[in-house]
Each structure stands twice: as structure tokens, then as C-alpha cells.
Amino acid sequence: MTCTAKLLDDRAPITCDAVWNALPLGGDVYHAKYARNEIYALLPPFAPEEPPLENPTITPIPGDLCYFSFTDTQLGTASYGYEQEAKHQGQRRVVDLALFYERNNLLINGDAGWVPGIVWGSVVDGLDRMADACQDLWRAGALGETLNFRRA
């Protein structure tokens, strides 16, 4: 399933520049356990320098694309459920690029508390189809599926 998003370079210029210059990006897709209506891919860091927390949110809305950065210890507890073979295992820092497909999301984590994300993009076409596919991931599982970001 595909959808089209626009960069929010007027609100998150540093993050948008980093993402744009690194495209295409992608990896195994996961459905969030904590945030609610979110799919995401975990990637190696790609920005020359970690973006500041520009255009932050803890309550993403449908269509938001968010950037998060985590250390290996933040994602290292068994509660996250990542398999040992996951590509991000063993990396000191991991970037999480996420798509939120429905409302009522709250970025709070039982291990860490509030987890603000950088809103760097917004889906402008195809969110309804993507939301259906995301619901299917939640119910049927994400094994073998990927989430990819590329220039249109």
C-alpha cells in the first residue's frame, strides 16, 4: 500500500533536510505497542547531526510522520518484543520513522515516560487506504512486511 506525504520544512527544516537527503529509507515494519495507531521502521542514523526537537508532539494526529531517536539501551528491554535478529539490534543509536494512521495517540512509554517526536511530514493522499493496511498489520501481523520512504 502507498500514500503520499508532504514535507513540513517550514516547521521542521533540519529534520526534513536530513530525511530528504537520506531517501530512500526503509526497513521492517512494526506496529506500536504503546502509542496506539502507529507503524514504524527502525533505521541506522542517517543525519549528519542529530536533529533538534523541532515541531514536537506527544499527541500525533492521523497522517503525521514523526522522527524519533533512541539509544540501544532505550530499546533493549524485553518488553519491546524485538527479535534478536532484528536489524537494529547492536546499534548504539536507532532512528524510528513513524506514520500515525488514526487518532487518539499518546506518546507515553511505561519505561521512559513522555516520548516527544518530531513531526516532519503529513500524509496528503491515500491515508484511508494506508489506515486499512495498518489495521491489517495489527490484526494479522507485520512479519515480512516493510515500511519505505522515498521521493515521489
Side-chain angles (χ1 to χ4, degrees):
M1 189 56 52
T2 63
C3 60
T4 304
K6 68 176 180 174
L7 293 175
L8 300 178
D9 48 5
D10 59 327
R11 297 180 187 171
I14 297 168
T15 308
C16 287
D17 187 57
V19 170
W20 182 257
N21 289 324
L23 292 176
L25 295 164
D28 292 339
V29 68
Y30 297 94
H31 196 290
K33 289 173 90 174
Y34 297 107
R36 194 162 182 189
N37 300 299
E38 170 194 359
I39 61 168
Y40 62 98
L42 298 173
L43 309 165
F46 53 81
E49 190 174 300
E50 186 63 30
L53 190 57
E54 54 185 359
N55 199 31
T57 189
I58 58 167
T59 56
I61 61 172
D64 276 353
L65 299 178
C66 290
Y67 175 105
F68 304 89
S69 181
F70 299 106
T71 65
D72 56 350
T73 56
Q74 286 175 299
L75 298 182
T77 65
S79 65
Y80 292 98
Y82 298 120
E83 63 279 359
Q84 288 296 337
E85 300 78 33
K87 293 175 185 164
H88 72 277
Q89 298 288 18
Q91 296 181 22
R92 293 184 50 87
R93 183 157 292 283
V94 177
V95 171
D96 169 337
L97 289 186
L99 176 134
F100 290 84
Y101 63 89
E102 187 50 81
R103 41 179 278 169
N104 296 327
N105 302 294
L106 185 60
L107 300 179
I108 190 165
N109 177 298
D111 296 334
W114 298 110
V115 183
I118 300 168
V119 182
W120 60 271
S122 180
V123 174
V124 294
D125 182 53
L127 184 60
D128 53 344
R129 296 182 310 273
M130 184 60 82
D132 289 343
C134 292
Q135 275 301 114
D136 186 58
L137 279 176
W138 176 248
R139 296 192 40 88
L143 220 56
E145 302 289 344
T146 60
L147 177 60
N148 298 289
F149 299 85
R150 62 180 173 82
R151 295 177 184 183

Coordinates of all heavy atoms in Angstrom, one line a residue, residues 49-104:
E49 N 24.0 15.2 11.8 CA 24.0 15.6 13.2 C 22.5 15.4 13.6 O 21.6 15.6 12.9 CB 24.3 17.1 13.3 CG 24.5 17.5 14.7 CD 25.1 19.0 14.8 OE1 26.2 19.2 14.2 OE2 24.4 19.8 15.3
E50 N 22.4 14.9 14.8 CA 21.0 14.6 15.4 C 20.1 15.9 15.3 O 20.5 16.9 15.8 CB 21.1 14.1 16.8 CG 19.8 13.6 17.4 CD 19.2 12.4 16.7 OE1 20.0 11.6 16.1 OE2 18.0 12.3 16.7
P51 N 19.0 15.8 14.7 CA 18.1 17.0 14.6 C 17.6 17.4 16.0 O 17.4 16.5 16.9 CB 16.9 16.5 13.8 CG 17.4 15.3 13.0 CD 18.4 14.7 13.9
P52 N 17.4 18.7 16.2 CA 16.9 19.2 17.5 C 15.4 18.8 17.5 O 14.8 18.5 16.5 CB 17.1 20.7 17.4 CG 17.1 21.0 16.0 CD 17.7 19.8 15.3
L53 N 14.8 18.9 18.7 CA 13.4 18.6 18.8 C 12.5 19.8 18.3 O 12.0 20.6 19.0 CB 13.1 18.3 20.3 CG 11.7 17.8 20.6 CD1 11.5 16.5 19.9 CD2 11.5 17.5 22.1
E54 N 12.4 19.8 17.0 CA 11.7 20.9 16.3 C 10.3 20.3 16.0 O 10.1 19.2 15.6 CB 12.4 21.4 15.1 CG 12.8 20.3 14.1 CD 13.6 20.8 12.9 OE1 13.9 22.0 12.8 OE2 14.0 20.0 12.1
N55 N 9.3 21.2 16.1 CA 7.9 20.8 15.8 C 7.5 19.5 16.6 O 7.0 18.6 16.0 CB 7.7 20.6 14.3 CG 6.2 20.7 13.9 OD1 5.4 21.4 14.5 ND2 5.8 19.9 12.9
P56 N 7.7 19.5 17.9 CA 7.5 18.3 18.7 C 6.0 18.1 19.0 O 5.2 19.0 18.9 CB 8.2 18.6 20.0 CG 8.1 20.1 20.1 CD 8.2 20.6 18.7
T57 N 5.7 16.8 19.2 CA 4.4 16.4 19.6 C 4.5 15.2 20.6 O 5.4 14.4 20.5 CB 3.5 16.1 18.5 OG1 2.1 15.9 18.9 CG2 3.9 14.8 17.7
I58 N 3.5 15.1 21.4 CA 3.2 13.8 22.2 C 1.8 13.3 21.8 O 1.4 12.3 22.4 CB 3.4 14.0 23.7 CG1 2.5 15.1 24.2 CG2 4.9 14.2 24.0 CD1 2.4 15.1 25.7
T59 N 1.1 14.0 21.0 CA -0.2 13.6 20.6 C -0.3 13.7 19.0 O -1.1 14.5 18.5 CB -1.3 14.5 21.2 OG1 -1.0 15.9 20.9 CG2 -1.3 14.4 22.7
P60 N 0.4 12.8 18.3 CA 0.3 12.9 16.8 C -1.1 12.6 16.3 O -1.9 11.9 17.0 CB 1.2 11.8 16.4 CG 1.7 11.1 17.6 CD 1.2 11.8 18.8
I61 N -1.4 13.2 15.2 CA -2.7 13.1 14.6 C -2.6 12.2 13.3 O -1.5 12.0 12.8 CB -3.3 14.5 14.2 CG1 -2.5 15.2 13.2 CG2 -3.6 15.3 15.5 CD1 -3.1 16.5 12.7
P62 N -3.7 11.7 12.8 CA -3.7 10.9 11.6 C -2.9 11.6 10.5 O -3.2 12.8 10.2 CB -5.2 10.7 11.2 CG -5.9 10.8 12.5 CD -5.1 11.9 13.3
G63 N -2.0 10.9 9.9 CA -1.2 11.4 8.8 C 0.1 12.0 9.2 O 0.9 12.2 8.3
D64 N 0.4 12.1 10.5 CA 1.7 12.7 10.9 C 2.8 11.6 10.6 O 2.6 10.4 10.9 CB 1.7 13.0 12.4 CG 1.1 14.3 12.7 OD1 0.8 15.1 11.8 OD2 0.9 14.6 13.9
L65 N 3.9 12.1 10.1 CA 5.1 11.4 10.0 C 6.0 11.9 11.1 O 6.3 13.1 11.2 CB 5.8 11.5 8.6 CG 4.9 11.1 7.5 CD1 5.7 11.3 6.2 CD2 4.6 9.6 7.6
C66 N 6.6 11.1 11.9 CA 7.4 11.5 13.1 C 8.8 10.9 13.0 O 8.9 9.7 12.5 CB 6.7 11.2 14.4 SG 5.3 12.2 14.7
Y67 N 9.7 11.6 13.6 CA 11.1 11.1 13.7 C 11.4 11.0 15.2 O 11.1 11.9 16.0 CB 12.0 12.2 13.1 CG 13.5 12.0 13.3 CD1 14.3 11.5 12.2 CD2 14.2 12.2 14.5 CE1 15.6 11.4 12.3 CE2 15.5 12.0 14.6 CZ 16.3 11.6 13.5 OH 17.6 11.4 13.6
F68 N 12.0 9.9 15.6 CA 12.4 9.6 17.0 C 13.8 9.1 16.9 O 14.2 8.5 15.9 CB 11.5 8.6 17.7 CG 10.1 8.9 17.7 CD1 9.2 8.5 16.7 CD2 9.5 9.6 18.8 CE1 7.9 8.8 16.7 CE2 8.2 9.9 18.8 CZ 7.3 9.4 17.8
S69 N 14.6 9.3 17.9 CA 15.9 8.8 18.0 C 16.1 8.1 19.4 O 15.7 8.7 20.4 CB 17.0 9.9 17.8 OG 18.3 9.3 17.9
F70 N 16.6 6.9 19.4 CA 16.7 6.1 20.6 C 18.1 5.5 20.7 O 18.7 5.2 19.7 CB 15.7 5.0 20.7 CG 14.3 5.4 20.7 CD1 13.5 5.3 19.5 CD2 13.7 6.0 21.7 CE1 12.2 5.7 19.4 CE2 12.4 6.5 21.7 CZ 11.6 6.3 20.6
T71 N 18.6 5.3 22.0 CA 19.8 4.6 22.2 C 19.5 3.1 22.2 O 18.3 2.7 22.4 CB 20.5 5.0 23.5 OG1 19.7 4.6 24.6 CG2 20.8 6.5 23.5
D72 N 20.5 2.3 22.1 CA 20.3 0.8 22.2 C 19.7 0.4 23.5 O 18.9 -0.5 23.6 CB 21.6 0.1 21.9 CG 22.8 0.5 22.8 OD1 22.7 1.5 23.5 OD2 23.8 -0.2 22.7
T73 N 20.1 1.1 24.6 CA 19.6 0.7 25.9 C 18.1 1.1 26.0 O 17.4 0.4 26.7 CB 20.4 1.3 27.1 OG1 20.4 2.8 26.9 CG2 21.8 0.8 27.1
Q74 N 17.7 2.1 25.4 CA 16.3 2.5 25.5 C 15.4 1.5 24.8 O 14.2 1.3 25.3 CB 16.0 3.9 24.8 CG 16.5 5.0 25.6 CD 16.4 6.3 24.8 OE1 17.0 6.5 23.7 NE2 15.6 7.2 25.3
L75 N 15.8 0.8 23.8 CA 15.0 -0.2 23.1 C 15.5 -1.6 23.5 O 15.0 -2.6 22.9 CB 15.2 -0.1 21.6 CG 14.6 1.2 21.0 CD1 14.8 1.2 19.5 CD2 13.2 1.5 21.4
G76 N 16.3 -1.8 24.5 CA 16.9 -3.1 24.8 C 16.1 -4.0 25.8 O 16.5 -5.1 25.9
T77 N 15.0 -3.5 26.4 CA 14.3 -4.3 27.3 C 13.4 -5.3 26.6 O 12.9 -5.0 25.4 CB 13.5 -3.5 28.3 OG1 12.4 -2.8 27.6 CG2 14.3 -2.5 29.1
A78 N 13.1 -6.4 27.2 CA 12.3 -7.5 26.5 C 10.9 -7.0 26.3 O 10.2 -7.6 25.4 CB 12.3 -8.7 27.4
S79 N 10.4 -6.0 27.0 CA 9.1 -5.5 26.8 C 8.7 -5.0 25.4 O 7.6 -5.0 25.0 CB 8.7 -4.5 27.9 OG 9.5 -3.3 27.6
Y80 N 9.8 -4.7 24.7 CA 9.5 -4.2 23.3 C 9.3 -5.3 22.3 O 8.7 -5.1 21.3 CB 10.7 -3.3 22.8 CG 10.8 -2.0 23.6 CD1 11.7 -1.9 24.6 CD2 10.0 -1.0 23.3 CE1 11.7 -0.7 25.4 CE2 10.0 0.2 24.0 CZ 10.9 0.3 25.0 OH 11.0 1.5 25.7
G81 N 9.7 -6.5 22.7 CA 9.4 -7.7 21.8 C 10.2 -7.8 20.6 O 9.8 -8.5 19.7
Y82 N 11.3 -7.1 20.4 CA 12.1 -7.2 19.2 C 12.9 -8.5 19.2 O 13.5 -8.8 20.2 CB 13.1 -6.0 19.0 CG 12.4 -4.7 18.9 CD1 12.6 -3.7 19.9 CD2 11.5 -4.4 17.9 CE1 12.0 -2.5 19.8 CE2 10.9 -3.2 17.8 CZ 11.1 -2.2 18.8 OH 10.5 -1.0 18.7
E83 N 12.9 -9.2 18.1 CA 13.6 -10.4 18.0 C 15.1 -10.2 17.9 O 15.6 -9.1 17.5 CB 13.2 -11.2 16.7 CG 13.4 -10.5 15.4 CD 12.4 -9.5 15.0 OE1 11.4 -9.2 15.7 OE2 12.6 -8.9 13.9
Q84 N 15.9 -11.1 18.4 CA 17.4 -11.0 18.4 C 17.9 -10.7 17.0 O 19.0 -10.0 16.9 CB 18.0 -12.2 19.0 CG 17.8 -12.4 20.4 CD 18.5 -11.3 21.2 OE1 19.4 -10.6 20.8 NE2 18.0 -11.1 22.4
E85 N 17.3 -11.2 15.9 CA 17.8 -11.0 14.6 C 17.4 -9.6 14.0 O 17.7 -9.3 12.8 CB 17.2 -12.1 13.7 CG 17.6 -13.5 14.1 CD 16.8 -14.0 15.2 OE1 15.6 -13.7 15.3 OE2 17.3 -14.8 16.1
A86 N 16.6 -8.8 14.7 CA 16.2 -7.5 14.2 C 17.4 -6.7 13.8 O 18.4 -6.7 14.5 CB 15.3 -6.8 15.2
K87 N 17.3 -6.0 12.6 CA 18.4 -5.3 12.0 C 19.0 -4.2 12.9 O 20.1 -3.9 12.8 CB 18.1 -4.8 10.7 CG 17.8 -5.9 9.7 CD 17.3 -5.4 8.3 CE 17.0 -6.6 7.4 NZ 16.2 -6.2 6.3
H88 N 18.2 -3.7 13.8 CA 18.6 -2.6 14.7 C 19.4 -3.0 15.9 O 20.1 -2.3 16.6 CB 17.5 -1.7 15.1 CG 16.6 -2.3 16.1 ND1 15.6 -3.2 15.7 CD2 16.5 -2.3 17.4 CE1 15.0 -3.6 16.8 NE2 15.5 -3.1 17.9
Q89 N 19.3 -4.3 16.2 CA 20.0 -4.9 17.4 C 21.5 -4.6 17.3 O 22.1 -4.8 16.2 CB 19.7 -6.4 17.5 CG 18.3 -6.7 17.8 CD 17.7 -6.3 19.2 OE1 18.3 -5.5 19.9 NE2 16.6 -6.9 19.5
G90 N 22.1 -4.2 18.4 CA 23.5 -4.0 18.4 C 24.0 -2.6 17.9 O 25.2 -2.3 18.0
Q91 N 23.1 -1.8 17.5 CA 23.4 -0.4 17.1 C 23.3 0.5 18.3 O 22.4 0.4 19.0 CB 22.5 0.1 16.0 CG 22.6 -0.7 14.7 CD 21.7 -0.1 13.6 OE1 21.3 1.0 13.6 NE2 21.4 -1.0 12.6
R92 N 24.3 1.4 18.4 CA 24.3 2.3 19.6 C 23.1 3.3 19.5 O 22.6 3.8 20.6 CB 25.6 3.0 19.7 CG 26.7 2.1 20.0 CD 28.0 2.8 20.3 NE 28.0 3.9 21.2 CZ 28.1 3.8 22.5 NH1 28.3 2.7 23.1 NH2 28.0 4.9 23.3
R93 N 22.7 3.7 18.3 CA 21.6 4.7 18.2 C 20.7 4.2 17.0 O 21.2 3.6 16.1 CB 22.1 6.1 17.9 CG 21.0 7.1 17.8 CD 21.5 8.5 18.0 NE 21.9 8.8 19.4 CZ 21.0 9.0 20.4 NH1 19.7 8.9 20.2 NH2 21.5 9.4 21.6
V94 N 19.4 4.4 17.2 CA 18.5 3.9 16.2 C 17.5 5.0 15.9 O 17.0 5.7 16.9 CB 17.7 2.7 16.8 CG1 16.6 2.2 15.8 CG2 18.6 1.5 17.1
V95 N 17.2 5.2 14.7 CA 16.2 6.2 14.3 C 14.9 5.5 14.0 O 14.9 4.4 13.3 CB 16.6 7.0 13.0 CG1 15.5 7.9 12.5 CG2 17.9 7.9 13.4
D96 N 13.8 6.0 14.5 CA 12.5 5.5 14.3 C 11.7 6.5 13.4 O 11.5 7.6 13.8 CB 11.8 5.3 15.7 CG 10.4 5.0 15.7 OD1 9.6 5.3 14.7 OD2 9.9 4.5 16.8
L97 N 11.3 6.1 12.2 CA 10.5 6.9 11.3 C 9.1 6.2 11.4 O 8.9 5.1 11.1 CB 11.0 6.9 9.9 CG 12.3 7.7 9.6 CD1 12.5 7.7 8.1 CD2 12.2 9.1 10.2
A98 N 8.1 7.0 11.8 CA 6.8 6.5 12.1 C 5.7 7.2 11.3 O 5.8 8.4 10.9 CB 6.5 6.7 13.6
L99 N 4.6 6.5 11.0 CA 3.4 7.0 10.4 C 2.3 6.7 11.4 O 2.1 5.6 11.8 CB 3.2 6.3 9.1 CG 1.9 6.7 8.4 CD1 2.1 7.0 6.9 CD2 0.8 5.7 8.5
F100 N 1.5 7.8 11.7 CA 0.3 7.6 12.5 C -0.9 7.7 11.6 O -1.0 8.6 10.8 CB 0.3 8.8 13.6 CG 1.4 8.6 14.6 CD1 2.6 9.1 14.3 CD2 1.1 7.9 15.8 CE1 3.7 8.9 15.3 CE2 2.1 7.7 16.7 CZ 3.4 8.2 16.5
Y101 N -1.7 6.7 11.8 CA -2.8 6.5 10.8 C -4.2 6.7 11.3 O -5.2 6.7 10.6 CB -2.7 5.1 10.1 CG -2.9 3.9 11.1 CD1 -4.1 3.4 11.4 CD2 -1.8 3.4 11.7 CE1 -4.3 2.4 12.2 CE2 -2.0 2.3 12.6 CZ -3.2 1.8 12.8 OH -3.4 0.7 13.7
E102 N -4.3 6.9 12.6 CA -5.7 7.1 13.2 C -5.5 8.0 14.4 O -4.4 8.3 14.8 CB -6.3 5.8 13.6 CG -7.7 5.8 14.1 CD -8.7 6.5 13.2 OE1 -9.1 6.0 12.2 OE2 -9.0 7.7 13.5
R103 N -6.6 8.5 15.0 CA -6.5 9.5 16.1 C -6.3 8.8 17.4 O -6.3 7.6 17.5 CB -7.7 10.4 16.1 CG -9.0 9.6 15.8 CD -10.2 10.5 15.8 NE -10.6 10.6 17.2 CZ -11.5 11.5 17.7 NH1 -12.1 12.3 16.9 NH2 -11.7 11.5 18.9
N104 N -6.3 9.6 18.5 CA -6.2 9.2 19.9 C -4.9 8.5 20.2 O -4.8 7.5 20.9 CB -7.4 8.3 20.3 CG -8.7 9.0 20.2 OD1 -8.7 10.2 20.5 ND2 -9.7 8.3 19.8

